[in-house]
Amino acid sequence: MKVSIELSPEYRIPYAVIYADKITDEIQKIMESFSRQETPITALQNEDNLVVLQPEEIYMVRVEAGDTILFGKCSKYRSRKRLYELEKHEYSGRF
């Protein structure tokens, strides 16, 4: 999925538009995360795909060679956040 963010002082309330030919599992997960009060975690999969993860999808977080790695059931992801930033996140204690 490609993501584009436009920042401007004229936008007071965030507004998201998703263009797609059909509702995929990834789009469904994003829509569900937008409807929740919790903020999803974004991470890189294969160094070029940005994915949205929910806390229940992550079973372990650790630092490898200076990178924060999130482990899911079948995949691992690289977070741009530092370990202490994830620890302070509202999900602390859930994974």
Side-chain angles (χ1 to χ4, degrees), residues 12-95:
R12 297 284 180 212
I13 300 173
Y15 181 80
V17 177
I18 299 173
Y19 298 96
D21 61 343
K22 62 182 178 180
I23 301 291
T24 63
D25 288 342
E26 184 179 25
I27 292 172
Q28 186 65 39
K29 283 173 38 178
I30 291 169
M31 290 176 10
E32 289 170 4
S33 70
F34 284 160
S35 67
R36 295 181 186 167
Q37 295 299 319
E38 300 172 336
T39 305
I41 297 169
T42 57
L44 292 171
Q45 182 180 33
N46 303 327
E47 295 305 316
D48 58 350
N49 294 328
L50 184 67
V51 295
V52 178
L53 301 170
Q54 296 301 322
E56 57 270 13
E57 296 177 275
I58 302 168
Y59 75 88
M60 181 173 60
V61 179
R62 72 181 198 197
V63 176
E64 296 179 356
D67 290 331
T68 305
I69 308 297
L70 310 173
F71 290 86
K73 184 176 181 180
C74 300
S75 299
K76 69 180 190 176
Y77 312 90
R78 187 173 62 82
S79 175
R80 292 185 174 136
K81 293 188 178 208
R82 309 300 294 166
L83 187 59
Y84 74 89
E85 292 174 308
L86 289 171
E87 185 177 52
K88 285 195 289 187
H89 201 273
E90 63 189 79
Y91 303 121
S92 182
R94 294 190 195 178
F95 48 75

